[in-house]
């Protein structure tokens, strides 16, 4: 809804003059009403300009409605980027391909596109499919899951800090806790994003200063990852952990690393003295108050970190009673590593004075091996081996080469160990999820791989200094903490030209070239690439059995002249005289093989050939053309209505006062009548209407036969008042498409006897009035034009035209005039108010004198 005041954003009523003085106090005169009458001329001019602006805005809407429909019609049916471009002959072509032949041949062929030779060409046989080159690594079926821990009596370090909380709050004696937040010391934190994202496990069980420093660094990174808020601050914006090398303590500092001053808090929040992390951090200070300042916390840390946060135990004492999850071929069981009774026996072994230390340690491992084997047999079935010592069933517990326990399975099985207790993993000397095969979430140094990316040779040079290089491409971002799945993902997203995968059944990594065809090598250009994906013989030479070179497809094509052509391509998808053909299986004969399985001679079977036929997508084309004519006729109808509807001068823009007295429906009906006929005498619209009415004539003058058009269901409306509508007969058009789609295509796109198709004529007709591309209306060195309608009113579909059109300029001119008139109105009002104020003052004086004189009498 538009009103006079809403157009310009100003009010033309006097209204507020009383706010600038009190009128009529002495005279009783309605000053504001008199001033409003005295300024009526200026006020009326403002209202007239506002009314004119509203009419211009309505006119702009009317122009834009038509220009937008023209652009939409062009975008949907004429633009080359449209999927329903009626100017593209291929849209009408016979592109639904049917295959003919035996089912065991046709099921291996798909085809799209169109070809003039479609009824002549056929595939006689597919003798060979194109394949990619494949590089396989050595099979890792003999690997064992190995504990690096080989001494149950060695010392391990258990953390008292992990999982505890440092809590913050504000305590009031009357109100209690007013707020709280807590930071839990986590198992791990994440770094990086996307393919570079990785999880870093925090090692709390440190045993030296270097370990404590690393722990503090990890804790600060965990703070950075935390979303805990203390009041209105995130915890990472407030505090950091700091290790003091002199006192051997961990304290809290601000985010810049500075010590907190006396009585320091974080927005009033202090540390709760009930925090479970306090004792592990070495705090032994006063806990009488519910909270303490950060400064008093630091002052109360009197024990060094090693004494407070670390407990020393033997591996045996620590592992006793601990459980881990064994995963055997997907079957998961929680298994106790060492029972309390076994721990007691294992300790008694070390009291045997008849054996050396090494003999006692070996005896402990043998006893542990036997007990753990019993539990695994009970849960997963008894472990069995063949005569040559290979495992044939279950999980076999062994004493590994390093003296620690190892776990083996049969070649096509796997065992993995998982636990959430990082210290258990560290004590055992394995990674979480580590397996005798490859753990995709694990790292390069896991048991299934055993690659230490930081390994150095005798000269101190890093063995894997070149990183991972495949086909000359370096895959970056790989270090000791990168998971195997991330490494494969990085390869697959690189430009190395291969896809990497892991086959768990054989324990092999595979690189497959992205492109099929012969002659595609896969080069392993670094030691890490060779160790991961290579396969080598005992003499160090490349095992060519694990490299399979790609092949080209070999297809026999007949052109219907009795001659068969053998075609060799690097892909299984190829162009066949305009058809895009894909083959996926061998047919049309079979290979005769020698005793070694090599192909020797092709024995053809001509009954297995595949032929083609094609037809147009009649339903799709018909539905599209039907929608096109519907949208075209909607546009024609709107243009015709605009130029044939006379405006009714009885209706114009409503004022705010008028709207207040009317219902919404009444306002809607009023404005509908007021907007009618706005473009009645517009010359541009009349010329557009005449151009539209000439389209059918232009089609015939460019070679389209009236009879042909009628045959395909396209005729001119018999009602001369329709303004140039075209009539579309869906049934007739569908029949024409089925019988002769090429003839239909010629009418729309040009071709045959048609010099210029309907689409070209429509484009030439509408472009001078509205287009997205000014260059289409460019003449000589001119800048071009977006069309007469858009130059007049602009369009949101052409953003640069919104503030650059004639109606916009006219509206701005009228707004400037209104601003001038409002300035004039204010001047007039101020002058009259001043005059009335003077009169009121004089009358007040006269009244006072009169009163004084009457008192004298």
């Amino acid at each position: 809804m538009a009103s006079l005041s809403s157009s310009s954003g100003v009010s033309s009523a006097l209204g507020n003059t009383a706010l600038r003085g009190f009128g009529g106090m002495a005279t009783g005169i309605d000053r504001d009403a008199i001033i409003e009458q005295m300024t009526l001329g200026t006020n009326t001019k403002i209202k007239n300009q506002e009314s004119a602006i509203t009419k211009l805005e309505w006119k702009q809407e009317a122009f834009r409605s038509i220009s937008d429909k023209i652009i939409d019609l062009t975008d949907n049916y004429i633009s080359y980027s449209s999927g329903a471009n009626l100017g593209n002959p291929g849209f009408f072509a016979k592109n639904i391909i049917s295959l003919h032949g035996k089912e065991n041949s046709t099921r291996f062929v798909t085809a799209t596109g169109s070809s003039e030779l479609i009824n002549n060409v056929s595939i006689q046989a597919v003798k060979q499919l194109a394949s990619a080159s494949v590089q396989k690594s050595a099979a890792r079926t003999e690997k064992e899951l190995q504990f690096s821990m080989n001494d149950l009596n060695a010392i391990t370090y258990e953390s008292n800090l992990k999982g505890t909380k440092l809590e913050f709050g504000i305590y009031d004696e009357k109100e209690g806790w007013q707020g709280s937040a807590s930071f839990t010391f986590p198992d791990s934190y994440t770094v990086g994003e996307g393919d570079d994202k990785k999880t870093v496990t925090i090692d709390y069980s440190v045993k030296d200063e270097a370990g404590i420093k690393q722990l503090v660094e990890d804790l600060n990174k965990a703070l950075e990852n935390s979303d805990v808020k203390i009041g209105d601050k995130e915890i990472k914006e407030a505090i950091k952990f700091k290790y003091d090398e002199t006192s051997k303590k961990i304290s809290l500092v601000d985010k810049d690393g500075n010590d907190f001053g006396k009585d320091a808090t974080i927005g009033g929040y202090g540390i709760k003295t009930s925090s479970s992390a306090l004792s592990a951090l070495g705090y032994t200070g006063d806990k009488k108050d519910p909270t303490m300042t950060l400064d008093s916390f630091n002052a109360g840390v009197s024990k060094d970190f090693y004494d407070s946060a670390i407990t020393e135990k033997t591996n045996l004492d620590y592992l006793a009673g601990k459980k881990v999850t064994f995963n055997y071929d997907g079957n998961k069981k929680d298994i106790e590593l060492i029972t309390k009774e076994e721990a007691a026996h294992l300790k008694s072994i070390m009291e045997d004075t008849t054996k050396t230390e090494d003999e006692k340690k070996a005896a402990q491992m043998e006893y542990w091996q036997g007990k753990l084997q019993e539990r695994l047999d009970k849960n997963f079935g008894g472990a069995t081996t063949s005569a040559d010592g290979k495992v044939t069933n279950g999980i076999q517990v062994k004493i590994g080469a390093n003296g620690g326990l190892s776990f083996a399975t049969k070649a096509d099985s796997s065992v993995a160990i998982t636990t959430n207790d990082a210290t258990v993993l560290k004590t055992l000397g394995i990674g979480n999820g580590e397996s005798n095969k490859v753990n995709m979430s694990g790292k390069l140094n896991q048991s299934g791989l055993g690659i230490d990316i930081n390994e150095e040779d005798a000269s101190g040079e890093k063995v894997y200094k070149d990183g991972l290089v495949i086909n000359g491409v370096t895959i970056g971002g790989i270090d000791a903490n990168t998971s195997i799945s991330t490494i494969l993902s990085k390869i697959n997203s690189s430009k190395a030209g291969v896809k990497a995968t892991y086959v768990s059944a054989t324990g092999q990594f595979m690189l497959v070239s992205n492109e099929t065809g012969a002659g595609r090598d896969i080069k392993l250009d670094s030691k890490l690439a060779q160790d991961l994906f290579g396969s080598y013989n005992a003499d160090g030479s490349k095992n060519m059995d694990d490299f399979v070179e790609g092949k080209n497809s070999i297809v026999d094509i007949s052109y219907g002249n009795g001659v068969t052509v053998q075609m060799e391509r690097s892909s299984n998808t190829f162009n066949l005289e305009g058809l895009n053909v894909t083959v996926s299986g061998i047919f049309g004969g079979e290979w005769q093989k020698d005793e070694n399985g090599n192909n020797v001679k092709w024995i053809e079977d001509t009954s297995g050939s595949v032929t083609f036929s094609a037809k147009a997508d009649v339903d799709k084309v018909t539905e599209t053309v039907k929608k096109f004519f519907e949208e075209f006729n909607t546009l024609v109808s709107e243009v015709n209505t605009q130029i044939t509807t006379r405006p009714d001068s009885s209706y114009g823009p409503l004022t705010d006062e008028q709207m207040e007295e009317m219902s919404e429906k009444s306002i809607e009906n009023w404005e509908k009548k007021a907007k009618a006929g706005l473009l009645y005498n517009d010359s541009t619209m009349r010329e557009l209407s005449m151009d539209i009415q000439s389209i059918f004539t232009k089609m015939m003058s460019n070679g389209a036969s009236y009879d042909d058009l009628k045959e395909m269901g396209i005729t001119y409306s018999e009602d001369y008042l329709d303004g140039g509508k075209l009539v579309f007969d869906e049934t007739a058009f569908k029949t024409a498409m089925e019988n002769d789609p090429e003839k239909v295509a010629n009418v729309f796109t040009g071709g045959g006897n048609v010099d210029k198709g309907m689409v070209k004529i429509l484009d030439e007709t509408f472009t001078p009035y509205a287009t997205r591309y000014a260059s289409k209306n460019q003449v000589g060195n001119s800048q071009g034009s977006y069309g007469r309608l858009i130059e007049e009113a602009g369009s949101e579909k052409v953003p640069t035209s919104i503030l650059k059109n004639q109606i916009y300029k006219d509206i701005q001119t009228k707004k400037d005039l209104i601003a001038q008139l409002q300035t004039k109105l204010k001047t007039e009002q101020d002058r009259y108010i001043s005059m009335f104020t003077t009169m009121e003052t004089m009358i007040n004086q006269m009244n006072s004198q009169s009163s004084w004189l009457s008192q004298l009498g």
Side-chain angles (χ1 to χ4, degrees):
M1 278 178 251
S3 66
L4 299 190
S5 62
S6 66
S7 297
S8 60
V10 297
S11 175
S12 60
L14 182 63
N16 66 349
T17 57
L19 297 176
R20 292 182 280 133
F22 297 93
M25 294 293 288
T27 63
I29 296 173
D30 187 348
R31 182 195 68 179
D32 290 354
I34 294 174
I35 293 176
E36 191 166 340
Q37 289 298 316
M38 296 173 76
T39 58
L40 182 61
T42 304
N43 241 325
T44 300
K45 290 178 181 179
I46 292 175
K47 289 184 177 181
N48 289 340
Q49 292 303 315
E50 290 175 338
S51 178
I53 288 176
T54 300
K55 286 184 177 180
L56 281 172
E57 290 173 340
W58 287 348
K59 190 175 182 179
Q60 191 176 52
E61 290 175 6
F63 274 125
R64 288 183 179 181
S65 176
I66 292 170
S67 63
D68 287 354
K69 284 183 173 62
I70 290 175
I71 291 176
D72 286 343
L73 195 71
T74 302
D75 287 349
N76 294 337
Y77 304 104
I78 298 177
S79 171
Y80 286 108
S81 61
S82 170
N85 178 14
L86 298 181
N88 176 17
F91 186 73
F92 302 89
K94 295 179 178 180
N95 49 24
I96 296 181
I97 310 300
S98 296
L99 307 176
H100 307 281
K102 290 182 177 179
E103 193 276 334
N104 60 357
S105 297
T106 57
R107 66 192 177 99
F108 293 127
V109 181
T110 59
T112 58
S114 61
S115 171
E116 295 182 357
L117 295 178
I118 194 164
N119 294 321
N120 302 91
V121 73
S122 65
I123 299 179
Q124 295 296 99
V126 175
K127 297 179 178 177
Q128 180 174 286
L129 290 175
S131 60
S133 296
V134 178
Q135 171 66 53
K136 295 184 288 185
S137 71
R140 295 177 170 88
T141 56
E142 302 299 325
K143 290 284 185 179
E144 297 177 0
L145 172 56
Q146 176 75 54
F147 289 168
S148 63
M149 188 271 290
N150 57 9
D151 184 358
L152 287 169
N153 308 288
I155 298 298
T156 192
Y157 304 88
E158 185 177 15
S159 170
N160 302 324
L161 179 62
K162 183 176 68 173
T164 63
K165 292 183 178 181
L166 195 59
E167 298 180 274
F168 301 86
I170 301 175
Y171 185 79
D172 183 272
E173 291 184 359
K174 294 181 179 180
E175 302 295 334
W177 290 108
Q178 299 303 297
S180 64
S182 65
F183 173 73
T184 300
F185 289 85
D187 293 328
S188 61
Y189 61 90
T190 59
V191 293
E193 296 181 357
D195 289 342
D196 292 323
K197 187 174 182 179
K198 64 185 72 172
T199 299
V200 179
T201 301
I202 300 176
D203 185 5
Y204 288 90
S205 54
V206 292
K207 59 182 179 180
D208 52 29
E209 189 165 78
I212 298 176
K213 288 180 179 179
Q214 181 61 52
L215 173 60
V216 169
E217 182 180 335
D218 287 339
L219 289 176
N220 283 327
K221 288 179 180 177
L223 277 177
E224 286 294 322
N225 276 357
S226 174
D227 57 1
V228 171
K229 294 191 72 173
I230 303 176
D232 59 353
K233 279 190 175 183
E234 291 189 357
I235 192 169
K236 61 186 176 185
E237 298 175 341
I239 63 171
K240 287 178 64 176
F241 293 101
K242 177 183 177 182
Y243 175 67
D244 189 310
E245 296 181 18
T246 302
S247 65
K248 311 298 182 185
K249 302 169 188 175
I250 290 181
S251 60
L252 293 174
V253 293
D254 66 23
K255 65 181 182 65
D256 297 319
N258 302 315
D259 292 336
F260 288 105
K262 186 179 180 182
D263 300 329
T265 61
I266 304 171
Y269 283 71
I271 299 173
K272 291 186 179 182
T273 54
S274 59
S275 298
S276 58
L278 291 185
S279 59
L281 288 169
Y283 181 81
T284 59
D286 184 15
K287 292 188 178 182
K288 293 179 181 178
D289 294 330
T291 60
M292 71 185 88
T293 65
L294 303 176
D295 181 64
S296 60
F297 163 75
N298 289 335
V301 177
S302 58
K303 293 178 67 177
D304 68 42
F305 182 79
Y306 190 84
D307 288 340
S308 61
I310 303 299
T311 299
E312 292 187 4
K313 291 183 178 181
T314 65
N315 289 334
L316 177 56
D317 285 335
Y318 179 73
L319 293 175
K322 294 288 194 301
K323 291 184 177 182
V324 296
T325 300
F326 278 80
N327 184 339
Y328 175 61
D329 289 343
N331 185 13
K332 299 178 181 180
K333 299 287 185 180
D334 291 335
I335 306 295
E336 192 169 5
L337 290 168
I338 301 173
T339 66
K340 292 181 179 180
E341 292 77 11
E342 291 166 0
H345 181 75
L346 287 166
K347 288 180 180 179
S348 68
I349 291 175
M350 295 304 296
E351 297 171 1
D352 188 347
T353 58
T354 64
K355 296 180 180 179
T356 66
E357 288 296 309
D358 287 342
E359 289 174 336
K360 288 186 282 188
K361 289 178 182 178
Q364 279 186 318
M365 282 295 169
E366 289 175 6
Y367 176 79
W368 187 23
Q369 171 196 7
K371 291 299 181 179
L372 196 51
Q373 184 72 68
E374 290 177 6
R375 283 192 285 280
L376 292 175
D377 287 349
K378 182 178 180 180
N379 282 276
F380 299 111
T384 57
T385 56
S386 60
D388 58 1
K390 291 185 178 181
V391 180
T392 56
N393 186 66
I395 303 170
Q396 185 179 35
V397 186
K398 299 181 178 181
I399 303 296
N402 70 339
L405 298 187
S406 67
F407 305 85
T409 65
K410 61 180 179 177
D412 59 351
S413 292
S414 65
V415 59
I417 292 177
T418 58
T419 176
N420 291 325
D421 193 327
T423 306
V424 168
L425 294 171
K426 183 178 180 181
T427 302
L428 295 175
I430 59 170
N432 193 29
E434 195 159 333
S435 169
N436 63 327
K437 296 291 179 65
V438 174
N439 171 22
M440 298 300 289
S441 299
K443 303 169 187 176
L444 288 165
N445 64 351
Q446 62 182 272
S447 297
L449 292 173
I451 297 174
D452 179 5
I453 199 170
N454 295 317
E455 179 185 354
E456 296 180 352
D457 59 20
S459 65
E461 186 175 31
K462 285 196 171 185
V463 174
Y464 297 100
K465 64 181 186 302
D466 296 326
L468 182 61
V469 188
I470 300 171
N471 286 338
V473 176
T474 299
I475 292 89
I478 296 173
D479 57 30
N481 290 318
T482 307
S483 69
I484 303 304
S485 61
T486 299
I487 292 174
L488 299 190
S489 179
K490 285 179 174 291
I491 294 170
N492 294 339
S493 61
S494 74
K495 296 182 179 180
V498 293
K499 295 299 180 187
T501 188
Y502 174 71
V503 183
S504 59
T506 62
Q508 289 177 294
F509 286 103
M510 293 176 61
L511 295 175
V512 182
S513 60
N514 291 343
E515 303 291 338
T516 57
R520 300 187 186 280
D521 193 10
I522 298 177
K523 298 178 181 178
L524 307 177
D525 299 318
S526 69
K527 179 170 174 54
L528 181 56
Q530 293 161 6
D531 287 357
L532 270 177
F533 299 103
S535 177
Y536 300 91
N537 298 315
D539 61 0
S541 61
K542 187 174 182 179
N543 182 359
M544 295 309 296
D545 290 339
D546 283 333
F547 175 74
V548 181
E549 184 180 357
K551 298 178 181 178
N552 291 334
S553 62
I554 300 176
V555 185
D556 286 350
I557 307 298
S558 171
Y559 288 88
N561 55 6
V563 177
T564 298
V565 176
Q566 181 171 284
M567 183 175 69
E568 188 171 344
R569 294 289 184 269
S570 63
S571 172
N572 292 314
T573 298
F574 49 87
N575 184 279
L576 182 59
E577 306 304 329
L579 293 179
N580 190 45
V581 177
T582 299
V583 294
S584 57
I586 306 296
F587 64 87
E590 61 181 4
W591 284 103
Q592 188 179 74
K593 300 180 181 294
D594 61 17
E595 62 274 10
N596 296 320
N598 299 315
N599 295 334
V600 177
K601 182 180 180 181
W602 177 258
I603 309 300
E604 69 178 18
D605 177 8
T606 55
S607 68
S609 64
V610 175
T611 59
F612 305 90
S613 65
K615 66 177 182 178
D617 192 342
V618 175
D619 291 338
K620 177 183 176 182
V621 174
T622 302
E623 184 62 26
T624 300
V625 172
K626 177 183 177 182
K627 289 180 180 178
F628 161 73
F629 279 114
E630 287 173 351
E631 292 181 28
F632 173 81
N633 286 333
T634 298
L635 169 62
V636 172
S637 179
E638 185 170 343
V639 172
N640 192 46
T641 298
Q642 287 288 0
I643 67 166
T644 58
T645 302
R646 293 177 179 271
D648 189 339
S649 59
S650 303
Y651 294 90
L654 296 167
T655 64
D656 287 338
E657 293 83 357
Q658 289 171 324
M659 285 187 175
E660 288 176 2
E661 298 175 357
M662 300 169 66
S663 66
E664 288 191 14
K665 187 64 176 177
S666 296
I667 295 172
E668 182 181 340
N669 291 334
W670 179 282
E671 290 193 346
K672 184 176 181 182
K673 292 178 180 179
K675 292 179 180 180
L678 283 173
L679 305 181
Y680 176 68
N681 283 320
D682 187 83
S683 59
T684 299
M685 291 299 299
R686 289 193 172 277
E687 290 176 27
L688 172 58
S689 179
M690 291 174 63
D691 285 340
I692 288 174
Q693 293 178 60
S694 69
I695 287 175
F696 197 78
T697 303
K698 288 178 182 177
M699 289 170 59
M700 289 187 290
S701 65
N702 276 280
S705 161
Y706 178 84
D707 290 337
D708 286 346
L709 288 171
K710 185 176 181 181
E711 183 181 327
M712 62 183 65
I714 302 172
T715 56
Y716 194 76
S717 173
E718 294 180 358
D719 186 348
Y720 72 96
L721 297 177
D722 275 351
K725 284 186 178 181
L726 298 178
V727 179
F728 178 67
D729 185 332
E730 182 178 352
T731 303
F733 183 83
K734 186 175 288 189
T735 300
M737 275 295 298
E738 290 172 345
N739 294 334
D740 196 347
E742 184 177 354
K743 189 176 185 179
V744 175
N746 290 342
V747 166
F748 282 87
T749 68
N753 296 324
V754 180
D755 298 326
K756 193 181 292 184
M758 181 191 293
V759 168
K760 182 68 173 176
I761 292 170
L762 284 170
D763 195 27
E764 291 177 352
T765 298
F766 288 130
T767 294
Y769 295 96
T771 177
R772 286 189 187 274
Y773 310 103
S775 58
K776 295 180 71 174
N777 285 319
Q778 190 171 8
V779 178
N781 295 324
S782 69
Q783 292 184 347
S785 165
Y786 292 108
R788 294 168 64 183
L789 297 179
I790 294 178
E791 295 293 330
E792 181 68 25
S795 170
E796 291 185 356
K797 295 182 181 295
V798 183
T800 57
S801 72
I802 296 297
L803 302 180
K804 193 177 180 182
N805 60 79
Q806 188 57 49
I807 291 180
Y808 175 80
K809 293 177 182 177
D810 292 345
I811 290 174
Q812 294 308 307
T813 299
K814 292 187 179 299
K815 286 184 176 181
D816 292 341
L817 179 56
I818 288 173
Q820 295 172 15
L821 290 170
Q822 287 175 328
T823 300
K824 180 182 177 183
L825 176 62
K826 183 178 182 301
T827 301
E828 291 175 351
Q829 290 171 344
D830 288 346
R831 185 173 72 251
Y832 292 133
I833 289 170
S834 178
M835 291 169 63
F836 272 100
T837 301
T838 300
M839 183 181 71
E840 290 280 342
T841 301
M842 293 176 66
I843 290 174
N844 271 328
Q845 290 174 354
M846 291 173 64
N847 287 339
S848 295
Q849 290 176 355
S850 175
S851 177
W852 179 75
L853 289 173
S854 64
Q855 289 175 1
L856 290 178

